[in-house]
Amino acid sequence: TPPACLFIVIRVNPWLVALLDRVRETISRYSMLPPPGPSAPLLGVALSGGGDSVALLHLLHQLGYPLHALHLNHLLRGAE
């Protein structure tokens, strides 16, 4: 028979929790976006591929916003 109670332990980084709280507070204070949830509009997040835009996408996802990642490759860069 299956156990009566199942515990899942998730390790949470305190700095990530603090960052998410600060982002949530800033969005609310400056009325940047509506609250996340089922009725929130779908957000398009522009991605350059750099750390800043990828972090923004990750944070908004963690806060519960429905997202689309937007990227346009102009083919202007050479081989790196």
Side-chain angles (χ1 to χ4, degrees):
T1 63
C5 185
L6 176 65
F7 290 96
I8 299 174
V9 177
I10 299 174
R11 192 173 134 173
V12 178
N13 290 319
W15 62 268
L16 181 57
V17 172
L19 179 60
L20 285 166
D21 287 343
R22 189 164 182 179
V23 170
R24 184 183 300 110
E25 178 184 309
T26 301
I27 289 170
S28 176
R29 181 185 310 132
Y30 296 104
S31 301
M32 299 170 91
L33 298 168
S39 62
L42 185 62
L43 301 178
V45 179
L47 288 175
S48 65
D52 293 349
S53 60
V54 173
L56 175 64
L57 181 75
H58 177 74
L59 290 168
L60 292 174
H61 174 72
Q62 291 297 313
L63 290 173
Y65 285 97
L67 305 170
H68 271 282
L70 308 172
H71 177 74
L72 177 61
N73 185 355
H74 292 283
L75 299 174
L76 298 176
R77 285 185 154 179
E80 293 184 28

